[in-house]
Amino acid sequence: MARTQSALPLLCLTTATLLALTACGTSNGSTEGQGSAPELTAQAEVGEGEGSLSILAWPGYVEDGTNDPAVDWVSSFEEETGCMVDFKPFGTSDEAVTLMRSGQYDVVSASGDASLRLIAGGDVEPVNVDLVESYEGIYPFLKDQLWNTVDGVNYGVPHGWGANVLMYRADQVTPAPTSWRSVFDDAEQNSGKVTAYDSPIYIADAAVYLMAHNPDLGITNPYALDADQLAAAVDLLKAQREHVGEYWSDVVKEVQSFASGSSVIGTTWQVGANIAQADGADVKTVLPEEGATGWSDTWMIGAESEHKNCAYKWLDHIASPEINAQVAEYFGESPATPAACELTQDASHCETYHSGDEEYASQIWYWTTPVADCIDGRTDVECTDYSEWTKAWTEIKG
């Protein structure tokens, strides 16, 4: 069984590791902020709201009734706090990092493949979780983790989480797959109809597979790959590339591909499977025997924000059980707080998304930004950082 970081002894990132990330550059090759990680301090108290709040987030995290009149948790926030929300959605973590570096946004929902880059770049600041009343009720396994904590200092409030599961057309893929082998070593069986997530972080999915099937490589954490381990993952993904019909970053478009039959097997989020099934597609999902990568999103505060009181009020609002239940159900993920499970309209929502299922959660490796200082504890070798993964991903896709 693959083990998630949350199942291991706490290994919060150190400043030295963060410095390595700061110097490694970004996906576009820039190296701003080299030399030292900014020394920023958290807010000491929360006062009156400043009247406005600019939010950068994944689509579906900030709903004001525009898309669906029945889906609105922004209006209540505005009424209660006087903080008027301006929302900008992003499509990928790389886009979120680029936009956040403009300094225009007060808060951001960052996945683990973006959060450490934002911390290292000085784009977000520490968060005083004592000022967020809802923080106490969040699942312990989401707190103080590699993707949201440095030197014991919290940089945000955990939000929803989930696994990157294997989805397949049950009417076209037989027997039912139980392993990631179906999209790697056995991908030829569905050549041209395999799909994969379009991001450098997908390299970790290959590493999870190699960790189980090629133990001689010595991989113990899919986000801590030395040069040889990265090369092995790249070789596996290049071989897979011959059989991939489509790389996806938009889950709705992926669902359409499964509905049409142009894709029949590949990685997805559970919400993708739910949409496909609701539309009548004969798809099923499985958490493969090797375990899987996944995500735990974190709400973070922009270092240049001029509306930090409103920012703290938003963090408390979005993490409260009532609102967390609404977001998790609408977006399609497990809520960050167990109390939300009692408040979802669909009584089986948390069961569907395995909320509180420690056995299930223990098989997930949550997205964590690769850095040069190996987060698996090795000190005799240098690991590859995100910029190297980005170069490798370009090479893989050709």
Side-chain angles (χ1 to χ4, degrees):
M1 178 190 300
R3 297 189 66 185
T4 175
Q5 294 96 317
S6 63
L8 300 173
L10 184 60
L11 284 172
C12 292
L13 286 182
T14 64
T15 299
T17 303
L18 193 62
L19 289 174
L21 176 62
T22 307
C24 80
T26 65
S27 59
N28 61 12
S30 67
T31 54
E32 65 242 57
Q34 289 189 25
S36 64
E39 294 185 4
L40 302 172
T41 57
Q43 193 102 331
E45 59 182 7
V46 178
E48 290 296 318
E50 299 86 356
S52 64
L53 185 69
S54 179
I55 303 177
L56 182 65
W58 290 105
Y61 273 3
V62 185
E63 293 295 317
D64 63 359
T66 300
N67 293 319
D68 183 341
V71 180
D72 180 3
W73 48 86
V74 169
S75 295
S76 60
F77 170 75
E78 293 176 330
E79 292 168 2
E80 293 167 6
T81 67
C83 302
M84 306 309 293
V85 170
D86 181 31
F87 170 52
K88 167 74 174 179
F90 60 80
T92 67
S93 287
D94 284 350
E95 182 185 356
V97 171
T98 299
L99 289 170
M100 201 62 192
R101 285 183 171 159
S102 70
Q104 299 177 41
Y105 303 96
D106 299 308
V107 295
V108 59
S109 66
S111 294
D113 56 335
S115 54
L116 295 185
R117 285 186 278 165
L118 293 172
I119 295 170
D123 305 300
V124 294
E125 66 178 33
V127 168
N128 184 348
V129 296
D130 291 338
L131 301 180
V132 182
E133 184 178 346
S134 302
Y135 186 79
E136 184 178 356
I138 292 173
Y139 285 113
F141 75 86
L142 297 177
K143 300 176 180 179
D144 305 317
Q145 294 299 328
L146 291 168
W147 55 89
N148 58 31
T149 303
V150 178
D151 276 343
V153 178
N154 297 115
Y155 277 82
V157 172
H159 188 65
W161 62 277
N164 298 316
V165 294
L166 179 63
M167 180 163 70
Y168 61 97
R169 281 283 296 259
D171 56 344
Q172 298 186 41
V173 178
T174 55
T178 60
S179 165
W180 289 114
R181 179 181 296 275
S182 58
V183 296
F184 288 123
D185 289 336
D186 293 343
E188 185 176 6
Q189 295 179 9
N190 294 290
S191 189
K193 296 188 175 183
V194 175
T195 187
Y197 188 54
D198 191 2
S199 169
I201 206 67
Y202 183 66
I203 292 172
D205 290 58
V208 168
Y209 180 73
L210 291 172
M211 191 160 48
H213 296 278
N214 193 345
D216 290 343
L217 286 170
I219 299 173
T220 59
N221 184 309
Y223 305 103
L225 305 181
D226 60 36
D228 291 338
Q229 293 166 340
L230 177 63
V234 169
D235 287 344
L236 181 63
L237 290 166
K238 283 183 176 179
Q240 182 198 52
R241 176 69 183 92
E242 299 178 15
H243 308 294
V244 172
E246 181 180 0
Y247 289 97
W248 67 274
S249 57
D250 185 330
V251 71
V252 175
K253 292 181 180 179
E254 186 208 20
V255 167
Q256 293 170 347
S257 294
F258 270 84
S260 68
S262 58
S263 295
V264 299
I265 193 166
T267 185
T268 193
W269 302 327
Q270 183 60 45
V271 64
N274 293 352
I275 295 171
Q277 290 167 348
D279 289 343
D282 187 8
V283 300
K284 293 184 178 180
T285 61
V286 61
L287 184 72
E289 59 195 29
E290 298 90 356
T293 60
W295 79 94
S296 170
D297 291 342
T298 303
W299 282 103
M300 312 181 87
I301 298 177
E304 297 183 31
S305 169
E306 296 181 355
H307 309 107
K308 291 178 181 175
N309 290 327
C310 282
Y312 270 89
K313 292 177 186 295
W314 173 260
L315 265 57
D316 191 43
H317 179 77
I318 202 71
S320 65
E322 180 182 0
I323 304 304
N324 196 215
Q326 294 178 50
V327 180
E329 196 161 21
Y330 181 74
F331 185 83
E333 62 186 2
S334 173
T337 172
C341 292
E342 303 298 322
L343 302 172
T344 56
Q345 292 185 10
D346 176 4
S348 63
H349 177 85
C350 284
E351 180 180 356
T352 299
Y353 288 90
H354 304 275
S355 304
D357 186 340
E358 294 185 12
E359 172 65 18
Y360 186 89
S362 72
Q363 299 176 69
I364 302 173
W365 292 90
Y366 298 93
W367 283 345
T368 304
T369 309
V371 294
D373 286 353
C374 300
I375 60 175
D376 59 3
R378 287 181 292 170
T379 58
D380 59 341
V381 66
E382 187 172 270
C383 279
T384 53
D385 60 37
Y386 191 79
S387 66
E388 293 174 89
W389 283 41
T390 300
K391 294 175 184 176
W393 187 244
T394 301
E395 181 183 335
I396 289 162
K397 293 184 65 179

